[in-house]
Amino acid sequence: EVDLALRASSGGARPPKVVVVVASNTKAAKKALDKMWAAAAKPPSMADVDRDAVLKATVVEDASAVAAALQAAGSTEGGAEAVAQLKAAQAFASKHASVSVEADAAEVSAAPSVVAAASKAIEEDLPRLAAALEARVQLASTFCETLGAECEGVVGDVLEAFDAAAGEGGALLKATRDSVARDARRALERTVLPAQLELLRAKAFGELKKKLKGLRIQRGVRQDAQKMVSQSVAFFDQKAKAALAKTAWSARAQKRDLEMFLSDYVQERLDAAVLGGTHIPGGRQGLRKLWPFPVALSFHWLQPAALGRAVDGAQGL
């Protein structure tokens, strides 16, 4: 709209602005350009002016087609520089689409090296450092009670590797560094955390089974079993919170899942005890353990001479 006002005030013919739009969906981009032109406020003297006379826009799908589009539109001045900056910006945006940063020309020109350093940090340095951590504390078979601090140490080492490769920079470098830290933490959260919580879950389950071995069948046995479930869940929660204290990670979902699993397990054990005769709900049979064994034994047999052989013979029995 500002350009339209300037053109109307100057009165003379001015060449159109040459714009190249890079978009994966060219049809949508063209429609957006048409809507923009239709919605623009035009001076009365330019109400009937065609868009191409003011804004010569070309939509391409890839940055490699920018130079050809500029040449076809009749503009070659600064074309190579524009393509180089566009490619650098595209590479940066593809890696850090959620980052919004204002960067000067020097930072944009340095973007490829910064992105390369970020890629190396995530794709090479992080797996190497994570493998070293796994070997050092045996993450595959042992629950690490200092997991958060250990993972934050790995993130710090990844950032040191990034800093060494990226060099100095301004806002662009800082935004990329923050993104590398987020990506490293997310990768560790997806790979290391689930396996560690499974190990902790197994420990909590083992604690419950130890408690159930001493459970006695008596009035209120289901309430006693539920208390044991709550104690095992609290054990899991306490250990998880202590291990993840240095991070923003949470084990709330795993805690809820564990509570349901343990409750179902205890319910199934009690139902099996009822079916097996070990547990009679509401009965007053004394104290008996939960694990199945016979409630009572009885023997039945026939006595051939119940009153003695002489008596049975005399009576014709």
Side-chain angles (χ1 to χ4, degrees):
E1 291 178 351
V2 173
D3 187 60
L4 288 171
L6 290 173
R7 288 172 182 271
S9 62
S10 64
R14 298 175 61 183
K17 281 191 173 181
V18 176
V19 177
V20 178
V21 180
V22 181
S24 58
N25 190 335
T26 57
K27 290 183 178 179
K30 290 177 180 178
K31 288 182 179 179
L33 286 170
D34 292 337
K35 288 182 179 180
M36 179 194 69
W37 177 255
K42 305 175 183 66
S45 61
M46 304 196 69
D48 299 329
V49 174
D50 187 63
R51 189 191 73 189
D52 289 339
V54 178
L55 184 67
K56 198 168 186 179
T58 304
V59 181
V60 297
E61 293 183 353
D62 190 78
S64 60
V66 171
L70 287 172
Q71 187 175 5
S75 175
T76 58
E77 183 179 356
E81 181 182 354
V83 172
Q85 290 190 5
L86 178 60
K87 286 183 177 180
Q90 272 198 323
F92 178 78
S94 65
K95 287 286 181 179
H96 313 284
S98 62
V99 176
S100 176
V101 62
E102 293 182 2
D104 56 24
E107 287 182 303
V108 172
S109 64
S113 61
V114 173
V115 171
S119 297
K120 179 179 179 297
I122 296 298
E123 297 172 7
E124 298 180 20
D125 297 323
L126 178 59
R128 173 176 55 81
L129 293 168
L133 171 64
E134 182 175 358
R136 179 165 56 84
V137 299
Q138 299 180 344
L139 292 180
S141 58
T142 305
F143 175 71
C144 179
E145 297 192 354
T146 57
L147 181 65
E150 296 287 353
C151 289
E152 283 300 308
V154 170
V155 173
D157 293 340
V158 169
L159 291 178
E160 285 185 8
F162 168 77
D163 292 339
E168 297 182 358
L172 188 63
L173 178 63
K174 182 181 183 303
T176 307
R177 191 178 192 275
D178 293 342
S179 181
V180 168
R182 285 195 301 271
D183 290 346
R185 290 188 179 97
R186 287 170 183 168
L188 292 172
E189 185 178 8
R190 289 193 303 267
T191 57
V192 176
L193 183 59
Q196 282 289 290
L197 291 180
E198 279 297 320
L199 291 173
L200 182 57
R201 173 192 174 105
K203 290 183 68 173
F205 187 32
E207 290 291 319
L208 176 66
K209 289 193 286 188
K210 288 179 184 178
K211 291 181 173 65
L212 287 178
K213 287 183 179 180
L215 184 66
R216 294 283 180 168
I217 299 301
Q218 57 187 346
R219 185 179 298 277
V221 64
R222 293 185 182 273
Q223 289 80 359
D224 294 340
Q226 192 57 45
K227 287 180 182 178
M228 293 178 180
V229 169
S230 299
Q231 291 171 357
S232 298
V233 173
F235 169 84
F236 175 91
D237 188 44
Q238 180 182 3
K239 292 287 186 180
K241 286 181 177 178
L244 306 181
K246 300 293 184 180
T247 70
W249 300 344
S250 171
R252 287 191 296 269
Q254 291 82 355
K255 175 187 172 182
R256 290 193 297 269
D257 181 67
L258 175 65
E259 187 170 10
M260 290 189 292
F261 169 74
L262 295 184
S263 296
D264 291 343
Y265 175 80
V266 169
Q267 184 66 39
E268 289 174 1
R269 293 295 306 172
L270 291 173
D271 290 344
V274 171
L275 293 175
T278 305
H279 170 40
I280 304 174
R284 299 176 180 270
Q285 305 296 327
L287 302 180
R288 292 194 298 273
K289 284 190 175 182
L290 176 62
W291 309 108
F293 65 93
V295 176
L297 294 176
S298 62
F299 298 91
H300 303 271
W301 69 94
L302 296 176
Q303 174 59 263
L307 302 178
R309 293 186 179 277
V311 175
D312 290 345
Q315 298 295 330
L317 299 177

